[in-house]
Amino acid sequence: MTQLKRSSILRMALSGSETMNQDEHEESFILRAVRIAVVVALYWFVSITMVFLNNYLLDNRELDAPLFVTFYQCVVTVALCWLMQLFAKLCPGVVDFPSVRFDVKTSREVLPLSIVFIGMITFNNMCLKYVGVAFYTIGRSLSTVFNVLLSFIILKQTTSFQALICCGIILGGFWLGVDQEGLAGSLSWSGVFFGVLASAFVSLNAIYTKKVMPAVDGSIWKLSFYNNINACVLFLPLILVFGEVGKVASFSGLTNLHFWGMMTLGGVFGFAIGYVTGLQIKFTSPLTHNVSGTAKACAQTVIAVVYNSSSKSLLWWTSNMMVLGGSSAYTWVKSREMQKSTQGGLQDSAKEKLLFGEKEDPGV
């Protein structure tokens, strides 16, 4: 009888622990899902808001000074880096930010990337200035194509046939979008030109970032700090050469607090996009981040069309779907190829162990 009671109590305890484990598992799954949803929503909000905010700042008819606008955003980013370092010292358990002291040698090593970085953000803003948000996805759609092209030219890396097909779909969507925008009478060839240049510099930026990373100990925040300091210095002669000093000096809203508030807010969102991008990759994966970015671009286009009360043709929307679909397919193909290469590397390692007589640890 006592044994029966003990066995029944033990069974109840075990069943209770299983139920508890299931509840804990479900709770942790729900918390993880909510956390991921919040991070993705935050990335979408910051990214879409930044694009619309930059479009608002650059579309100012009274102030035609895109280089000055971009320069000011770099100044705000440097100031925020200093502030984040200060908060990290005051609240070490709350704010995590690396301590950075300016070093001339490191700044010089980052300089080639900074030149590419200036080209990327300048042409990106120029594209946004001339084409608007609705056509922005198409105008800046060739980054993947330039990735493949520049990887072959600079890094001598070949690309699979499936990935090339995806690039072909993107190119087809780009040309169809340009054609439809031309038929609608709203095409800006300047915007398309700057969009293509921006796409090329985005790809160059990715390549040079990998080369420069060891100089900043692999810290993306240190890289951002040095990049923006270099950019602030390099932008000054460019602003002088392109005659933007006179335009800024004669601007009637120079003492307007609303103008400077919006300019500063643009810089804050420019700084925040780096943080939320890293956050999304951390809590999801690089593949999910790319898919999320593609979906965000689609939502961004729809919001812009609805906001401007525009009427777009079926072929115009088809061009967007081709660009977004080709980009998503390329991401999927490359992730599959990376998985296969990783598995192949592990198999080759196992073969080498067998070939050279290495044995697995008997304690395992």
Side-chain angles (χ1 to χ4, degrees):
M1 187 71 176
T2 306
Q3 188 177 0
L4 182 63
K5 284 182 179 179
R6 285 177 181 173
S7 61
S8 61
I9 291 169
L10 183 60
R11 196 180 302 110
M12 287 172 66
L14 288 172
S15 63
S17 65
E18 285 176 4
T19 307
M20 193 181 296
N21 287 334
Q22 287 177 357
D23 290 342
E24 287 178 357
H25 177 72
E26 287 177 5
E27 186 180 358
S28 63
F29 173 77
I30 292 169
L31 284 172
R32 191 163 62 250
V34 169
R35 192 184 294 117
I36 289 171
V38 169
V39 168
V40 171
L42 185 64
Y43 168 77
W44 278 41
F45 171 74
V46 171
S47 183
I48 292 174
T49 305
M50 185 187 70
V51 170
F52 276 91
L53 192 57
N54 280 340
N55 181 245
Y56 168 79
L57 292 168
L58 295 163
D59 202 32
N60 193 326
R61 300 298 172 87
E62 292 184 47
L63 181 64
D64 185 20
L67 291 175
F68 173 74
V69 172
T70 312
F71 160 76
Y72 184 79
Q73 290 179 347
C74 291
V75 171
V76 171
T77 299
V78 173
L80 286 171
C81 284
W82 283 110
L83 279 175
M84 290 296 287
Q85 287 184 72
L86 181 63
F87 289 146
K89 289 178 182 177
L90 295 174
C91 313
V94 179
V95 180
D96 183 23
F97 199 88
S99 179
V100 186
R101 288 184 180 179
F102 183 78
D103 180 66
V104 176
K105 182 177 178 292
T106 305
S107 177
R108 193 165 53 246
E109 290 177 347
V110 176
L111 187 60
L113 173 64
S114 300
I115 295 169
V116 173
F117 174 72
I118 284 177
M120 180 184 72
I121 57 177
T122 301
F123 293 134
N124 196 66
N125 282 349
M126 293 294 284
C127 172
L128 191 58
K129 175 182 174 65
Y130 285 104
V131 304
V133 180
F135 190 68
Y136 181 65
T137 302
I138 298 292
R140 279 268 287 93
S141 62
L142 298 184
S143 298
T144 301
V145 177
F146 277 110
N147 265 340
V148 172
L149 186 63
L150 292 174
S151 294
F152 177 74
I153 294 171
I154 298 173
L155 304 176
K156 307 301 179 185
Q157 292 180 353
T158 56
T159 306
S160 67
F161 181 68
Q162 291 89 342
L164 289 175
I165 290 175
C166 297
C167 290
I169 294 170
I170 295 169
L171 276 170
F174 173 78
W175 284 116
L176 181 61
V178 170
D179 177 68
Q180 291 302 300
E181 198 75 6
L183 290 174
S186 54
L187 178 66
S188 167
W189 282 108
S190 297
V192 172
F193 175 70
F194 287 126
V196 172
L197 284 177
S199 299
F201 273 85
V202 166
S203 301
L204 281 171
N205 187 72
I207 292 170
Y208 275 91
T209 297
K210 291 179 182 178
K211 291 184 176 182
V212 170
M213 267 297 181
V216 291
D217 304 319
S219 172
I220 194 70
W221 290 119
K222 284 186 180 180
L223 183 64
S224 177
F225 175 76
Y226 280 103
N227 235 350
N228 282 278
I229 285 182
N230 287 345
C232 288
V233 176
L234 293 171
F235 263 125
L236 291 174
L238 291 174
I239 290 170
L240 286 168
V241 169
F242 285 93
E244 289 193 1
V245 175
K247 293 177 183 178
V248 173
S250 61
F251 177 51
S252 59
L254 203 59
T255 56
N256 191 327
L257 289 176
H258 173 74
F259 168 73
W260 287 110
M262 296 299 284
M263 286 276 285
T264 303
L265 193 62
V268 170
F269 273 91
F271 175 82
I273 190 65
Y275 177 75
V276 295
T277 297
L279 207 63
Q280 182 169 247
I281 293 171
K282 178 183 176 181
F283 283 100
T284 58
S285 67
L287 175 60
T288 306
H289 168 68
N290 287 331
V291 173
S292 174
T294 302
K296 187 274 305 180
C298 182
Q300 182 177 282
T301 302
V302 172
I303 291 169
V305 171
V306 172
Y307 178 76
N308 296 319
S309 302
S310 305
S311 178
K312 300 296 183 181
S313 65
L314 179 62
L315 285 176
W316 189 91
W317 286 109
T318 302
S319 68
N320 277 267
M321 291 302 104
M322 286 176 68
V323 165
L324 296 172
S327 300
S328 297
Y330 178 84
T331 302
W332 180 76
V333 166
K334 294 302 288 184
S335 67
R336 288 288 300 274
E337 289 176 359
M338 286 178 68
Q339 285 177 358
K340 286 181 179 178
S341 64
T342 304
Q343 290 172 359
L346 291 172
Q347 289 174 357
D348 290 343
S349 177
K351 287 177 182 177
E352 286 178 6
K353 286 182 178 181
L354 289 172
L355 182 65
F356 292 101
E358 292 182 20
K359 296 180 181 179
E360 296 294 331
D361 186 355
V364 176

